């Protein structure tokens, strides 16, 4: 299995490709990272150094990968945070070229826009770009609840509203939608859920909400593991959902226990390949 991952990167910590690549590799997926930014650390620290690559620079790297004859063998293209609107066109061009070389290849888009608490943290125009250009081209998309609301213009205050918003998103292109950080199912806020929907149905998995400092990159890792699991032979959406929920819970629980300021992805790597705790996946419809 091979994936082309076009995302941001950080030298310190785990975000973008720096969070997504290792979990895919741990699942046995060869991953070719193309970085859209090179930052010292993620922007949540308030101060960072580095650069946003020009769209042509990103395109040149992708062209060079294509020149190695890789495109016909790619199983998927993965994209996440985009530092500039022009990057979207580069990504969509790469997706088109990969699918021309291998029509079975998937495009998995993590529509990184923001989250509850922080609000929107991407540049102006990125949210609209995700809504109008990226989502219609994706086979799989993984918004959090906050991003789902922005992408659909719908307030998600109930399970019924959440499923209606997912249906609206699927109608615009993606056949598989994974919604992370779902909080509407538990008014007590003691748990957190993920909801996945495809043609076979809608599924939910719920895990305890861990008392810990917020760490970056969990969404990037979740998306990469979900894609990696779906690429595995015989793995369907509910199976992938169960594995990913258990893996990300294990990573975050290890991070909580160590008190680390960044996700302990490498130290907790065994729960990526073989999560010891399986959470129950329920069918919603």
């Amino acid at each position: 299995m091979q994936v082309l991952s076009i995302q941001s990167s950080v030298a310190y910590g785990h975000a973008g490709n720096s969070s997504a690549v290792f979990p895919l590799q741990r699942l046995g997926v060869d991953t070719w990272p193309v970085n859209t930014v090179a930052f010292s650390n993620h922007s949540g620290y308030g101060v960072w150094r580095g650069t946003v690559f020009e769209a042509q620079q990103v395109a040149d790297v992708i062209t060079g990968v294509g020149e190695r004859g890789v495109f016909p063998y790619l199983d998927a293209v993965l994209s996440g945070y985009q530092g500039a609107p022009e990057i979207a066109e580069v990504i969509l061009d790469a997706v088109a070229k990969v699918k021309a070389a291998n029509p079975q290849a998937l495009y998995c888009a993590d529509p990184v826009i923001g989250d509850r608490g922080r609000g929107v943290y991407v540049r102006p125009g990125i949210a609209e770009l995700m809504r109008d250009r990226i989502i219609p081209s994706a086979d799989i998309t993984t918004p959090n609840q906050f991003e789902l609301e922005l992408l659909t213009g719908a307030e998600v205050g109930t399970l019924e509203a959440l499923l209606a918003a997912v249906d609206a998103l699927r109608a615009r292109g993606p056949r598989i939608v994974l919604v992370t950080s779902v909080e509407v199912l538990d008014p007590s806020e003691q748990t957190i859920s993920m909801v996945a929907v495809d043609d076979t149905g809608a599924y939910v998995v719920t895990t305890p909400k861990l008392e810990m400092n917020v760490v970056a990159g969990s969404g990037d890792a979740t998306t990469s593991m979900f894609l990696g699991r779906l690429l595995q032979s015989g793995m369907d959406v509910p199976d992938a959902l169960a594995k990913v929920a258990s893996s990300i819970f294990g990573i975050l629980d290890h991070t909580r226990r160590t008190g680390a300021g960044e996700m302990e992805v490498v130290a907790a790597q065994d729960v990526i390949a073989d999560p010891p705790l399986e959470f129950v996946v329920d069918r919603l419809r």
Side-chain angles (χ1 to χ4, degrees), residues 184-207:
V184 297
L185 303 182
D186 183 4
S188 71
E189 298 186 353
Q190 298 300 305
T191 63
I192 194 162
S193 302
M194 291 193 287
V195 173
V197 182
D198 71 349
D199 291 338
T200 69
Y203 309 91
V204 63
V205 62
T206 299
T207 64

Side-chain angles (χ1 to χ4, degrees), residues 241-253:
L241 186 60
K243 293 285 189 182
V244 171
S246 299
S247 292
I248 196 63
F249 181 85
I251 292 170
L252 292 176
D253 191 41

Side-chain angles (χ1 to χ4, degrees), residues 8-284:
S8 62
S9 68
V10 294
Y12 172 76
H14 299 284
N17 270 334
S18 303
S19 177
V21 172
F22 179 75
L24 277 167
Q25 292 173 330
R26 193 64 180 83
L27 290 174
V29 180
D30 276 329
T31 308
W32 318 127
V34 177
N35 299 325
T36 57
V37 309
F39 288 164
S40 56
N41 49 269
H42 68 76
S43 59
Y45 284 96
V47 177
W48 67 94
R49 296 179 184 273
T51 188
V52 175
F53 292 125
E54 297 292 336
Q56 188 57 53
Q57 292 175 298
V58 178
D60 285 345
V61 173
I62 295 171
T63 297
V65 174
E67 289 170 346
R68 304 284 71 76
V70 173
F71 287 178
Y73 305 100
L74 286 174
D75 296 285
V77 177
L78 171 63
S79 70
Y81 174 83
Q82 297 174 28
E86 298 79 13
I87 298 296
E89 298 304 324
V90 173
I91 292 172
L92 292 174
D93 180 67
V95 170
K97 288 176 178 175
V98 169
K99 289 198 169 197
N102 177 14
Q104 302 304 312
L106 300 173
Y107 174 33
C108 179
D110 183 4
V112 179
I113 300 170
D115 54 42
R116 195 175 301 276
R118 289 182 65 189
V120 174
Y121 51 70
V122 293
R123 290 184 176 185
I126 296 291
E128 293 79 9
L129 181 153
M130 292 289 188
R131 180 192 65 202
D132 299 335
R133 298 282 288 135
I134 297 297
I135 292 297
S137 300
D139 299 294
I140 305 167
T141 190
T142 60
N144 59 37
Q145 182 180 314
F146 176 82
E147 290 161 344
L148 178 66
E149 292 178 331
L150 285 179
L151 290 168
T152 60
E155 184 176 346
V156 176
T158 65
L159 173 60
E160 292 73 20
L162 181 130
L163 291 177
V166 171
D167 289 342
L169 202 62
R170 292 185 69 230
R172 291 165 53 195
R175 61 183 179 84
I176 300 176
V177 174
L178 171 67
V179 186
T180 62
S181 302
V182 174
E183 299 179 338
V184 297
L185 303 182
D186 183 4
S188 71
E189 298 186 353
Q190 298 300 305
T191 63
I192 194 162
S193 302
M194 291 193 287
V195 173
V197 182
D198 71 349
D199 291 338
T200 69
Y203 309 91
V204 63
V205 62
T206 299
T207 64
K209 183 178 286 188
L210 296 167
E211 293 294 329
M212 60 183 294
N213 294 327
V214 176
V215 291
S218 60
D220 304 319
T222 297
T223 294
S224 71
M225 290 188 290
F226 187 63
L227 174 60
R229 289 296 184 182
L230 289 176
L231 292 177
Q232 293 179 335
S233 177
M235 186 74 70
D236 59 16
V237 165
D239 289 339
L241 186 60
K243 293 285 189 182
V244 171
S246 299
S247 292
I248 196 63
F249 181 85
I251 292 170
L252 292 176
D253 191 41
H254 187 280
T255 305
R256 176 191 62 82
R257 288 185 282 108
T258 61
E262 294 279 348
M263 276 200 311
E264 294 278 74
V265 178
V266 177
Q269 61 180 282
D270 287 347
V271 303
I272 297 173
D274 186 23
L277 177 60
E278 291 287 344
F279 293 97
V280 175
V281 171
D282 294 315
R283 177 184 283 271
L284 294 172

